[in-house]
Every structure is written in C-alpha cells, then in structure tokens.
Amino acid sequence: QVKLVESGGGVVQSGMSLRLSCVASGFLSSIETMGWYRQAPGKQRELVANIDTDGSTNYGASVKGRFTVSRDNAKNTVYLQMVGLKSEDTGTYYCNVQGVRGAVYRNLEVWGQGTLVTVSS
C-alpha cells in the first residue's frame, strides 16, 4: 500500500508565494511520475505540473513561468513552488504519483487527499 501526505496549503494574498510538499510512503521501490493537479470549485480537475524520474517536466499553460515542480527521489517527495499567485489559482491541490513499483505492483497510480490553497485578491 502506498500513501501520499501533502502539506503547505493555506491562505495567501495575491502576488505571494507558497510551497507544497508531498511525501510518498509505503511498500514502493520507485515512482515514475510525481506531480500536482488542482480543482477549483465548479471546475474539472486539471494538471498543474509533473516531473519524471529523468527530470523532464510538464506544466499547465496557466502556471508556466510561475510554478516550479521538483522532486527528491531519495525521499520520495515532490514539491511545487508557486510564486506570483493569482486568485484563479485558488483550489484544492492534489498530489499524484504514477508508475509506482513495489513488490506486488508495477504501475500503480495514487492520489493524495488534497490540500487547499486560497488566494485572496
């Protein structure tokens, strides 16, 4: 079983910064892709950013140039540094890992429970 624990959400003013963290724990040996999705009230969940084991990244169009995703493979942790936050960045941010390998699984996908980010204008 693999568990994700997110931290770092909160309430900030427009223009400020936040850093989210997500730690994966459990019976796993490697994780191919780690990243973040978000869901605003009344909207569909969307990709924010993800990063593969080789360091290649993908970003949602609305966050390019403002958000940076990174990971620490030794700690099974993914980070999301958010700068220049806007009110439209408000939502619940979900950690997501894909391609998790362990003793009994080879391609597991896991979602975190989400952490709320609120940006006030």
Side-chain angles (χ1 to χ4, degrees), residues 37-59:
Y37 287 72
R38 70 184 180 190
Q39 188 165 20
K43 294 188 176 181
Q44 290 188 330
R45 191 173 297 190
E46 63 176 358
L47 173 70
V48 177
N50 60 27
I51 181 168
D52 289 338
T53 51
D54 63 0
S56 59
T57 57
N58 293 294
Y59 290 93

Side-chain angles (χ1 to χ4, degrees), residues 78-89:
V78 61
Y79 306 96
L80 184 68
Q81 180 67 49
M82 305 183 289
V83 301
L85 283 161
K86 306 175 181 180
S87 57
E88 51 262 44
D89 294 317

Side-chain angles (χ1 to χ4, degrees), residues 48-100:
V48 177
N50 60 27
I51 181 168
D52 289 338
T53 51
D54 63 0
S56 59
T57 57
N58 293 294
Y59 290 93
S62 62
V63 307
K64 281 182 180 178
R66 299 187 298 123
F67 292 10
T68 302
V69 63
S70 60
R71 64 188 285 174
D72 184 332
N73 292 326
K75 297 180 179 180
N76 290 326
T77 301
V78 61
Y79 306 96
L80 184 68
Q81 180 67 49
M82 305 183 289
V83 301
L85 283 161
K86 306 175 181 180
S87 57
E88 51 262 44
D89 294 317
T90 294
T92 300
Y93 284 67
Y94 297 91
C95 181
N96 171 264
V97 295
Q98 302 174 25
V100 180

Side-chain angles (χ1 to χ4, degrees), residues 2-6 22-25 28 31 34-35 76 94-97 110-113:
V2 176
K3 182 180 179 181
L4 301 179
V5 177
E6 301 134 325
C22 172
V23 181
S25 62
L28 62 92
I31 303 172
M34 304 184 77
N76 290 326
Y94 297 91
C95 181
N96 171 264
V97 295
V110 184
W111 289 90
Q113 293 192 336

Side-chain angles (χ1 to χ4, degrees), residues 102-114:
V104 296
Y105 34 76
R106 293 189 176 184
N107 193 27
L108 186 66
E109 180 177 14
V110 184
W111 289 90
Q113 293 192 336

